[in-house]
Amino acid sequence: MAGATVASPLCTWLVAACMSVACDEERPLGRRSSFPGWRRRVPLSGGEGRGLPRRLISALRGSGIQGLMSSFLALEPCAEFYSSRNGLAFVGKNGFSPFGQWNAESTRRQRRAAHSSPSSVAGKKVMSIAMQPETEGAQKKRMQTKQRRVAVTGMGVVTPLSHDPDIFYEKLLEGVSGISEIETFDCSSYPTRIAGEIKSFSSDGWVAPKFSKRIDKFMLYMLTAGKKALENGGVTEDVMSQLDKARCGVLIGSAMGGMTIFNDAVEALRISYKKMNPFCVPFAATNMGSAMLAMDLGWMGPNYSISTACATSNFCILNAAHHILRGETDVMLCGGSDAAIIPIGLGGFVACRALSQRNADPTKASRPWDVGRDGFVMGEGAGVLLLEELEHAKQRGAEIYAEFLGGSFTCDAYHMTEPHPEGTGIILCIEKALAESGVAREDVNYVNAHATSTPSGDLKEYQALIHCFGQNPELKLNSTKSMIGHLLGAAGAVEAIAAVQAIRTGWVHPNINLDNPEENVDVNKLVGSKKERLDVKVALSNSFGFGGHNSSILFAPYQ
């Protein structure tokens, strides 16, 4: 009985709507319906349901109970329904409805009053709004959001070279390598014993000590880099207190997630589930870093993570910018973090035969576009950008490092780990990024390439870049991975920061270990063994991941 009581109001309106349609069909064509818009009908697929009004169709196909409720608000039973004893039985003895006390006569009086008032024009538009897929207001809103611009106002890094974005870039310009022998565990039995490992790291002042002992390193790096980005962007406590927290979001991803936490849980399970860390599930999830940072900051806007292998943080940056461009947020922290230099992480990539085995000379191991390359070098760390709507940034007096112009992503749809042999996915991604951002290809004169130091990947990307930008005599390409290795899900964000720093400083960092370039590579397009001066017009940052994920994003000096 209780269930019937709850359901009856909804049934009342559903039956009323259907009966009114039936009544409308029985009326002579010359008789005017009390709701003219109902006479316009569209068939469902397959020719079924021709008698249903379009508004009801859209609601049933749409957002469940909310769609139904909103549709019923617009539907009014016909006069025959009010006179029907059966119809009134659905309403109830006391005239109960889900929207308050029901009185048919007063409702008709209200409708007549509405038609006779100046606001009746708006009332007549109800069905036209329902019938049209887009309204004038929606179009106007989109036109306004297109005018929004996205500024980079803060940067935070945790890398094998430095945990400060300026020192990090200074070392890149100097050609310093952060690749060395692995020290955190015994890997003497592995064919690869080198990585871009973080040797010294402290989260003091950034993460509570008790909390920092429990979470995975990927979360620790992410939280620290995120807060460093805020500090770097001049977001003080006073600025934070003035932010609209509902319009601030966090979108930081991870390719591998909490591998250490999960590995430890598996080892504990060998003894008993009682030995497992009760936080092992949430602390292993890739989304939890973004969630914890948002909780710490009190930011209630968009909060999630994207995991697209080594293209993760590039995807996150692009999606975060879209939230701002669409007018949904004013401030976004975005990027990626990974900490997979543990036995299972190293072992997994060794099993893939993807890693360099140049153990005798670690600093020479990562060598994009060099004929002697034999695989990538694992790295770890995090990169976070503070993106901000331009006017919002200007109003608070923020320093604008660069402007985010746009980007795009595609899928090779070819192979799990190998790029498409013709580079079609990469070319399509770059061309879509240019089209979305409205950038002419001749304006792109710097590319921070994905180039990982793998035999096929480096060449396919190079060929795609030459296809798109080869006619530009100013074009310069480099790979940050030659010095810090491949930071997996964090790579795209750290490299985007390097691109922004190139815009800020007017210097592009060298490609180290490029001793013997591939025969088909034009060395004039590559930055040499020393930093080079370059007035960056537009910088492109590429990221590609296992699964054929491609992403390209564009930055330019703020003007």
Side-chain angles (χ1 to χ4, degrees):
M1 291 299 293
T5 303
V6 173
S8 62
L10 293 178
C11 295
T12 298
W13 281 95
L14 184 57
V15 172
C18 295
M19 290 183 67
S20 186
V21 173
C23 294
D24 194 88
E25 288 177 344
E26 292 172 2
R27 292 189 180 100
L29 290 177
R31 181 178 176 183
R32 184 175 179 180
S33 168
S34 61
F35 213 119
W38 280 27
R39 193 167 298 283
R40 301 168 65 185
R41 296 179 176 85
V42 293
L44 288 171
S45 59
E48 299 177 359
R50 293 180 181 273
L52 287 176
R54 181 168 180 173
R55 184 171 179 86
L56 184 59
I57 292 171
S58 64
L60 292 172
R61 288 180 174 176
S63 55
I65 188 68
Q66 292 181 348
L68 286 168
M69 299 291 274
S70 63
S71 295
F72 298 153
L73 282 169
L75 300 176
E76 182 184 347
C78 61
E80 286 86 340
F81 175 74
Y82 295 130
S83 63
S84 168
R85 181 173 300 175
N86 292 333
L88 290 175
F90 281 103
V91 176
K93 293 181 180 179
N94 299 322
F96 173 79
S97 82
F99 312 110
Q101 293 295 318
W102 180 261
N103 185 300
E105 184 60 34
S106 65
T107 300
R108 284 194 288 271
R109 284 199 300 268
Q110 291 170 3
R111 188 173 67 250
R112 285 195 295 269
H115 278 289
S116 63
S117 68
S119 61
S120 62
V121 177
K124 293 178 181 178
K125 291 183 178 179
V126 173
M127 279 310 298
S128 65
I129 291 174
M131 298 298 292
Q132 296 173 6
E134 296 177 354
T135 66
E136 182 180 350
Q139 292 173 345
K140 184 177 180 181
K141 182 177 180 181
R142 275 203 301 275
M143 290 175 65
Q144 291 174 345
T145 57
K146 284 182 179 179
Q147 296 174 359
R148 290 168 68 90
R149 297 167 67 182
V150 179
V152 180
T153 57
M155 301 175 287
V157 297
V158 175
T159 74
L161 288 180
S162 174
H163 311 321
D164 177 274
D166 292 329
I167 298 175
F168 163 69
Y169 198 65
E170 287 174 7
K171 290 189 175 182
L172 288 180
L173 292 178
E174 295 169 4
V176 177
S177 175
I179 298 170
S180 60
E181 293 183 359
I182 296 172
E183 297 178 0
T184 53
F185 64 95
D186 181 11
C187 56
S188 57
S189 62
Y190 291 74
T192 294
R193 300 182 290 278
I194 57 174
E197 187 180 48
I198 294 174
K199 305 298 186 184
S200 176
F201 174 77
S202 174
S203 61
D204 292 349
W206 304 105
V207 183
K210 184 178 181 180
F211 188 63
S212 65
K213 293 178 182 179
R214 294 182 176 181
I215 62 177
D216 192 276
K217 283 199 298 182
F218 98 93
M219 286 180 62
L220 200 59
Y221 293 160
M222 183 186 296
L223 294 172
T224 303
K227 291 186 176 181
K228 283 178 177 285
L230 289 174
E231 181 189 57
N232 181 261
V235 181
T236 61
E237 290 185 7
D238 183 56
V239 172
M240 183 71 77
S241 66
Q242 297 177 34
L243 293 177
D244 182 352
K245 304 295 178 61
R247 294 184 61 79
C248 299
V250 183
L251 208 176
I252 309 175
S254 176
M256 311 300 287
M259 293 190 70
T260 300
I261 290 287
F262 197 79
N263 182 74
D264 292 347
V266 172
E267 293 300 318
L269 186 60
R270 296 180 188 278
I271 302 172
S272 169
Y273 72 89
K274 297 179 180 180
K275 298 291 184 180
M276 295 174 67
N277 181 343
F279 300 102
C280 65
V281 171
F283 285 172
T286 58
N287 72 297
M288 198 53 63
S290 273
M292 296 307 298
L293 184 55
M295 291 176 202
D296 199 359
L297 301 175
W299 287 12
M300 300 173 66
N303 182 267
Y304 57 101
S305 68
I306 295 172
S307 185
T308 48
C310 302
T312 290
S313 50
N314 204 298
F315 271 67
C316 289
I317 293 167
L318 181 51
N319 278 272
H322 283 168
H323 284 296
I324 296 175
L325 290 171
R326 290 195 298 261
E328 299 164 356
T329 60
D330 296 319
V331 182
M332 292 291 297
L333 282 170
C334 54
S337 179
D338 262 318
I341 303 177
I342 61 174
I344 191 172
L346 181 67
F349 282 111
V350 164
C352 286
R353 300 179 181 179
L355 299 182
S356 170
Q357 299 182 17
R358 197 183 291 263
N359 300 305
D361 197 355
T363 61
K364 300 289 185 181
S366 185
R367 39 197 322 112
W369 299 300
D370 187 85
V371 292
R373 65 191 186 283
D374 65 333
F376 76 85
V377 178
M378 287 182 70
E380 63 179 349
V384 177
L385 284 79
L386 176 63
L387 299 185
E388 201 165 347
E389 195 276 322
L390 180 61
E391 294 304 317
H392 185 278
K394 289 164 66 176
Q395 286 176 9
R396 72 174 185 88
E399 181 182 354
I400 299 171
Y401 298 143
E403 182 176 356
F404 176 89
L405 300 182
S408 190
F409 22 63
T410 61
C411 178
D412 278 355
Y414 171 73
H415 190 272
M416 282 193 299
T417 60
E418 292 293 321
H420 192 284
E422 297 177 4
T424 52
I426 300 173
I427 293 171
L428 178 61
C429 183
I430 294 171
E431 290 179 343
K432 287 179 65 178
L434 294 173
E436 179 185 311
S437 56
V439 172
R441 62 184 66 222
E442 57 267 22
D443 289 336
V444 178
N445 62 342
Y446 170 54
V447 178
N448 188 296
H450 181 68
T452 61
S453 186
T454 55
S456 61
D458 290 10
L459 279 182
K460 296 307 175 187
E461 181 183 13
Y462 172 81
Q463 291 164 0
L465 291 171
I466 294 302
H467 173 87
C468 294
F469 309 112
Q471 300 303 314
N472 188 346
E474 297 181 359
L475 180 67
K476 287 294 180 180
L477 317 175
N478 64 8
S479 172
T480 306
K481 295 181 180 71
S482 65
M483 287 172 272
I484 62 173
H486 192 349
L487 273 58
L488 307 179
V494 171
E495 291 160 13
I497 289 171
V500 170
Q501 292 285 47
I503 291 171
R504 289 183 69 202
T505 64
W507 291 94
V508 290
H509 70 69
N511 288 298
I512 69 169
N513 304 324
L514 189 58
D515 302 326
N516 189 12
E518 281 278 0
E519 182 179 354
N520 296 324
V521 171
D522 182 359
V523 292
N524 294 318
K525 301 295 184 186
L526 304 179
V527 183
S529 58
K530 301 291 182 181
K531 66 181 181 181
E532 296 183 17
R533 176 67 73 177
L534 182 65
D535 180 15
V536 180
K537 295 178 181 177
V538 177
L540 173 75
S541 180
N542 278 339
S543 287
F544 315 128
F546 281 1
H549 304 292
N550 308 308
S551 183
S552 299
I553 52 179
L554 295 151
F555 300 92
Y558 166 61
Q559 296 177 348

